[in-house]
Amino acid sequence: MSYYFCIIGTKDNPLFEYEFGTSKQGGDGIARFPAEARHINQFIVHSSLDIVEEVQWLNNQMYLKVIDKFSISHISCFLTPTSVKFLLLHLPHPPNTPPPAASTTFPFTSSFAPSATTSTSSLSRASLSSSSSSTSTSIATNPTSPQTEEAIRQFFTEVWEVWVKTTMNPFYHVDDPVKSPVFRTRVAAAGRKYL
């Protein structure tokens, strides 16, 4: 599974971005997003901010779980008390197939073209019910399984602890991008540990 992690500030500006791959079940930790999809990841994550704004008032939890789905990618969200959003886009690899190499095929095909009358939630439910026929519950093959949800929650919690320590620095200003190599290293370590 490939991951794109992004921290969005209170003014909906990106504060931190990091791509990585799964380190579990023999993964090498390298993100396997196709070259054409790398720039699309930012748009997908930012398009889910409207859903975050709606869901945050319906749930009193910081971890909002999977909030959006685009093609085969899922977006999970963690909302801090200061309204900073941690968003994780995860692109699963199909079961029983090796992770794709840097191919030229674009994973987001036009098959996800909702009409004006089709809601995103009904599309998500339909595609999730069709993918639930797979009985695998490993993190790499089922992004909506309880094991995956728990692993993502633990990842977000650990990154939040590091985020709090970083923002407590008197030289850090609110909504400034985080450029600390120590912060990047600790996010990478959390990704290897849980995902």
Side-chain angles (χ1 to χ4, degrees), residues 65-105:
K65 299 187 179 183
V66 173
I67 58 162
D68 198 10
K69 183 178 184 323
F70 179 80
S71 187
I72 59 173
S73 299
H74 294 75
I75 296 100
S76 299
C77 180
F78 183 92
L79 189 65
T80 68
T82 58
S83 294
V84 173
K85 299 150 198 82
F86 295 176
L87 296 170
L88 182 71
L89 180 136
H90 31 110
L91 175 69
H93 301 302
N96 301 327
T97 60
S103 66
T104 58
T105 58

Side-chain angles (χ1 to χ4, degrees), residues 101-115:
S103 66
T104 58
T105 58
F106 193 70
F108 311 117
T109 61
S110 61
S111 64
F112 184 78
S115 65

